[in-house]
Amino acid sequence: MKKLLFLGLFGLMAAVTYAGGYRVSLQGQRSLAMGHTGVAVVNNAELAFFNPAGLVYLENKINVAAGASAVFSNVKYQNSEFGISSETESAVGTPFYAYGSYRVNDWLTLGLAAYTPYGSSVEWPTDWAGSHLVNNIDLQAIYIQALAAVKISDKLSVGGGPIYVNGSVNFNRNLNRTLSDIEGNRSNVTVDASSVSAFGWSASAMYNATEDLRFGINYRSEIIVEAEGGDADFENIPNSPLTPFQDTQFNASLPMPAELSVGLSYELLDKWLFAFDYNMTYWNVYESLDLDFANAQIPDSENPRNYKNSSTYRFGLQYLANETVTLRVGYYFDESPVQSGYFAPETPRNDAHGFTGGLSLHVSDRFSIDAAFLYNRYEEVDESYNYYTENGETVPFEGTYKTSAFIPGLGVTYKL
């Protein structure tokens, strides 16, 4: 039974890593409307996330961009062999971003960025078929980054800076498929870790080949997350020496994988802008998770994950309709890093197709309102999680998952 706890905690830390193996990209409304492209697009202060090196090419001395999105997600699970099904009851997520840049002189621009690239809220119905793996999970993480961009020439610039991460996570699951107290309440554990922090860095470059053609590259380092002194709270435990679960603390560490993005943009006829980004996430660094429990009755554990590197291909198009309205559309294909046999229901994830669109309303020369939407459709998948053990035997959890998400968002752009 102790091994069952390990798997539940492992699911928790998977969410800390990358929202359970997937991430909905929401780091700027203008970029999102164009398929979340932006590595080679000089548009507004969203460059602070996509390519800090491009900040030196913004025309104004001060540039600010801020916004938020509303995430409406849905996951349906079905096992036709046993005639069971379930559907998530997740709350609406609200990731945000805020970027600012200040041009010190012709060759130096400084910036500050705050954004939430990792965040997940998944809640399954009480005592559903997979409650021994997860009931609910809530993750929040905020990235804060100081930036500097240097113009080497009119064609070439470099940029980047340190990243500070702070976040929290709360996770609940039943201890196994049947265990309950004398009143029939299912035995469960809630794991909570707050003020989890870590540091990383990013580096980028932008090259203006011509007035119409740009290339960009941006790299974010691997970040090691350290969860120390987290709380594990056990509820509805039978009064028996066979179930010696007691509230305790735990330590764990794991990598957030490095990311590499390259892209290009091309302007046509002063009204059209095409952008393409390619993202590589180096998930192969995530092979296992080690857990260290303060309670000596719970032995330390090593849990395999064996993720693979994953790619995302992004396409975006922008059209300047007139002085007031700018229109945008986009598409991306996002590969899953989860390999067969490791498909866990805490945050179900498969290859995804993202369809985006949006517009900007230029209220004045200094102020604009940016709107975007994303419809994320994940390919239906029949998969299993093969690392749940009960009474010394492995019991796979299998089924068909259908996942989708609709995400509208609003932002503002200000320049001075």
Side-chain angles (χ1 to χ4, degrees):
M1 189 175 298
K2 295 177 182 177
K3 292 182 178 179
L4 309 187
L5 170 62
F6 300 158
L7 294 175
L9 294 175
F10 171 65
L12 157 70
M13 298 311 295
V16 173
T17 305
Y18 210 52
Y22 79 92
R23 167 184 156 217
V24 177
S25 301
L26 299 168
Q27 277 69 66
Q29 303 303 337
R30 292 190 179 186
S31 301
L32 175 62
M34 296 176 63
H36 211 251
T37 58
V39 180
V41 177
V42 177
N43 205 329
N44 66 352
E46 292 175 13
L47 281 162
F49 173 82
F50 290 92
N51 190 338
L55 291 172
V56 295
Y57 299 117
L58 293 175
E59 294 180 355
N60 297 85
K61 192 175 188 67
I62 296 176
N63 293 272
V64 176
S69 299
V71 180
F72 301 89
S73 60
N74 176 266
V75 182
K76 295 181 180 179
Y77 164 83
Q78 182 178 15
N79 186 309
S80 56
E81 179 180 357
F82 296 101
I84 56 177
S85 63
S86 191
E87 186 174 350
T88 57
E89 302 171 348
S90 303
V92 178
T94 55
F96 69 90
Y97 64 89
Y99 311 122
S101 69
Y102 176 77
R103 189 176 62 193
V104 179
N105 51 44
D106 289 340
W107 59 269
L108 175 63
T109 296
L110 302 179
L112 185 65
Y115 49 96
T116 53
Y118 304 112
S120 179
S121 180
V122 176
E123 183 174 354
W124 291 92
T126 303
D127 294 338
W128 75 292
S131 62
H132 56 289
L133 297 176
V134 61
N135 284 317
N136 56 72
I137 188 168
D138 185 21
L139 165 71
Q140 297 179 357
I142 299 175
Y143 277 41
I144 300 175
Q145 184 172 12
L147 299 163
V150 177
K151 182 190 293 185
I152 298 176
S153 70
D154 290 339
K155 290 183 175 293
L156 179 64
S157 63
V158 295
I163 301 173
Y164 170 74
V165 183
N166 186 274
S168 62
V169 65
N170 183 277
F171 172 81
N172 176 270
R173 60 174 290 275
N174 293 344
L175 290 182
N176 66 13
R177 297 181 296 173
T178 58
L179 187 66
S180 62
D181 63 13
I182 194 172
E183 297 179 354
N185 299 311
R186 295 287 298 276
S187 302
N188 65 86
V189 59
T190 299
V191 179
D192 184 84
S194 58
S195 298
V196 179
S197 61
F199 289 91
W201 55 272
S202 75
S204 64
M206 180 172 287
Y207 178 70
N208 304 312
T210 68
E211 292 183 357
D212 301 322
L213 179 63
R214 284 192 173 98
F215 297 93
I217 182 170
N218 188 39
Y219 178 83
R220 264 183 295 275
S221 72
E222 173 186 314
I223 298 177
I224 304 299
V225 174
E226 301 284 351
E228 298 182 352
D231 296 319
D233 179 28
F234 295 91
E235 298 289 343
N236 306 327
I237 305 300
N239 186 15
S240 168
L242 298 178
T243 54
F245 294 107
Q246 298 178 357
D247 294 351
T248 187
Q249 294 184 322
F250 71 94
N251 297 334
S253 64
L254 73 164
M256 288 184 173
E259 298 177 26
L260 175 67
S261 299
V262 295
L264 64 86
S265 68
Y266 184 74
E267 187 175 346
L268 181 64
L269 302 177
D270 295 328
K271 286 184 174 292
W272 295 91
L273 179 69
F274 168 78
F276 169 75
D277 283 6
Y278 169 78
N279 310 129
M280 168 64 76
T281 305
Y282 295 94
W283 273 112
N284 64 346
V285 71
Y286 191 26
E287 297 178 352
S288 66
L289 172 68
D290 299 328
L291 303 174
D292 181 12
F293 295 93
N295 188 337
Q297 290 184 313
I298 304 178
D300 297 339
S301 177
E302 182 176 306
N303 303 277
R305 200 56 169 182
N306 293 331
Y307 276 18
K308 62 181 180 179
N309 293 344
S310 62
S311 298
T312 306
Y313 306 87
R314 305 181 182 277
F315 304 86
L317 189 64
Q318 174 179 281
Y319 175 66
L320 301 177
N322 52 52
E323 293 182 355
T324 303
V325 179
T326 301
L327 304 176
R328 302 179 182 93
V329 294
Y331 164 82
Y332 65 79
F333 176 71
D334 186 9
E335 294 179 346
S336 170
V338 183
Q339 300 200 68
S340 181
Y342 294 87
F343 201 92
E346 71 267 2
T347 43
R349 171 69 168 93
N350 198 34
D351 293 347
H353 300 267
F355 303 90
T356 70
L359 56 83
S360 288
L361 296 177
H362 307 290
V363 180
S364 68
D365 292 339
R366 296 182 178 180
F367 183 77
S368 300
I369 299 174
D370 306 314
F373 73 87
L374 163 65
Y375 173 66
N376 228 353
R377 183 180 65 81
Y378 297 85
E379 294 181 2
E380 181 178 320
V381 60
D382 295 299
E383 262 296 353
S384 64
Y385 185 69
N386 297 335
Y387 293 89
Y388 173 78
T389 303
E390 190 170 295
N391 299 323
E393 295 184 1
T394 299
V395 184
F397 183 76
E398 302 172 316
T400 300
Y401 293 88
K402 297 180 180 179
T403 306
S404 63
F406 177 72
I407 307 169
L410 280 175
V412 295
T413 295
Y414 178 78
K415 53 189 179 181
L416 179 63

